[in-house]
C-alpha cells in the first residue's frame, strides 16, 4: 500500500512540476512576443505588445510557484537550517523531520483553505485584473490546483517521515 501511495505522490509532484515548467516557458514566450510587438509600435502597422501581459504574467507566476511546491516537498528541498543536525542522534533527527513534515502539512492545508476562501471572495465580487480584465478568481483557481497537490504530497511526506522514525526503510 505504501508503495502505491509513494508512486501516486511522486507522480503528482512530478506532473505538477512539469506543468509549472510549461507555464514558465509560456510566460517566457508571451513576454518575448510582447517585447517584439513593442518594436513594431512606431511603424504603426497594427502590431504591438500583448495587452495585459503584466496581468497574465502575475497569474501565471503564482500558478507556477504553487505547482512547484509539491516537488520541493517530495524531494525534501525546502530551505532548512541543519546547523545542529550532524551533532544530533539519528533518531532525534528523524523525529525532527517528522515534526517538520507534520507542520508543513498543516501549513499546506491552512494555506490551501485560505486560498480557496480568497478565490470564493474574488468570484463573488467579480473582481478582474486592471488591464486584461481577467477574472481574478481564475488565477486563484489555477494556483489552487498546485496547493491541493501540495497538501496531498505533504501528508504523504509526513507518513514517509513516520515510517523512517519507526525504522521502516523505503524500498522504492
Amino acid at each position: 500500500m505504501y508503495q502505491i501511495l509513494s508512486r501516486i505522490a511522486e507522480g503528482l509532484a512530478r506532473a505538477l512540476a512539469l506543468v509549472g515548467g510549461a507555464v514558465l516557458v509560456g510566460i517566457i514566450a508571451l513576454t518575448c512576443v510582447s517585447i517584439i510587438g513593442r518594436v513594431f509600435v512606431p511603424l504603426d502597422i497594427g502590431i504591438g505588445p500583448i495587452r495585459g501581459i503584466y496581468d497574465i504574467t502575475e497569474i501565471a507566476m503564482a500558478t507556477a510557484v504553487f505547482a512547484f511546491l509539491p516537488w520541493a516537498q517530495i524531494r525534501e528541498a525546502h530551505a532548512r537550517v541543519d546547523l545542529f543536525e550532524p551533532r544530533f542522534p539519528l533518531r532525534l533527527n528523524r523525529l525532527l523531520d517528522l515534526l517538520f513534515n507534520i507542520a508543513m502539512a498543516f501549513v499546506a492545508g491552512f494555506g490551501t483553505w485560505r486560498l480557496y476562501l480568497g478565490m470564493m471572495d474574488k468570484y463573488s465580487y467579480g473582481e478582474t485584473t486592471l488591464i486584461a480584465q481577467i477574472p481574478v478568481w481564475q488565477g486563484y483557481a489555477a494556483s489552487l490546483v498546485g496547493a491541493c497537490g501540495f497538501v496531498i504530497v505533504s501528508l504523504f511526506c509526513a507518513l514517509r517521515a513516520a515510517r523512517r522514525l519507526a525504522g521502516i526503510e523505503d524500498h522504492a
Side-chain angles (χ1 to χ4, degrees), residues 22-37:
V23 168
L24 288 180
V25 169
I27 293 170
I28 292 168
L30 285 176
T31 301
C32 290
V33 168
S34 187
I35 290 169
I36 291 168

Side-chain angles (χ1 to χ4, degrees), residues 116-166:
Y116 171 76
L117 293 177
M119 178 189 73
M120 296 309 293
D121 187 56
K122 300 298 181 190
Y123 179 78
S124 68
Y125 286 106
E127 187 176 334
T128 61
T129 60
L130 187 61
I131 299 169
Q133 297 297 303
I134 300 168
V136 174
W137 73 266
Q138 291 178 0
Y140 278 72
S143 297
L144 199 55
V145 173
C148 288
F150 186 35
V151 170
I152 293 166
V153 169
S154 294
L155 290 171
F156 168 76
C157 289
L159 172 64
R160 180 177 64 190
R163 287 171 53 90
R164 287 178 182 166
L165 179 62

Side-chain angles (χ1 to χ4, degrees):
M1 181 65 172
Y2 175 78
Q3 297 304 324
I4 294 169
L5 292 175
S6 178
R7 284 194 293 273
I8 290 170
E10 177 84 25
L12 178 62
R14 184 182 308 275
L16 285 169
L18 289 171
V19 168
V23 168
L24 288 180
V25 169
I27 293 170
I28 292 168
L30 285 176
T31 301
C32 290
V33 168
S34 187
I35 290 169
I36 291 168
R38 287 184 186 136
V39 171
F40 292 109
V41 170
L43 302 177
D44 198 27
I45 57 175
I47 300 174
I50 296 173
R51 186 173 186 271
I53 188 68
Y54 298 111
D55 299 343
I56 295 166
T57 301
E58 181 179 23
I59 291 169
M61 283 301 296
T63 301
V65 166
F66 276 99
F68 291 133
L69 288 174
W71 185 253
Q73 182 67 15
I74 198 98
R75 292 288 175 211
E76 301 178 59
H78 288 293
R80 295 171 69 149
V81 178
D82 52 6
L83 184 64
F84 300 108
E85 186 176 344
R87 290 185 163 75
F88 290 157
L90 179 62
R91 188 138 174 92
L92 179 58
N93 280 326
R94 287 187 174 174
L95 175 63
L96 292 173
D97 190 43
L98 174 60
L99 294 174
F100 168 77
N101 279 288
I102 290 170
M104 188 60 84
F106 175 78
V107 168
F110 186 79
T112 300
W113 170 57
R114 298 307 301 175
L115 187 63
Y116 171 76
L117 293 177
M119 178 189 73
M120 296 309 293
D121 187 56
K122 300 298 181 190
Y123 179 78
S124 68
Y125 286 106
E127 187 176 334
T128 61
T129 60
L130 187 61
I131 299 169
Q133 297 297 303
I134 300 168
V136 174
W137 73 266
Q138 291 178 0
Y140 278 72
S143 297
L144 199 55
V145 173
C148 288
F150 186 35
V151 170
I152 293 166
V153 169
S154 294
L155 290 171
F156 168 76
C157 289
L159 172 64
R160 180 177 64 190
R163 287 171 53 90
R164 287 178 182 166
L165 179 62
I168 304 169
E169 296 299 320
D170 295 338
H171 298 291

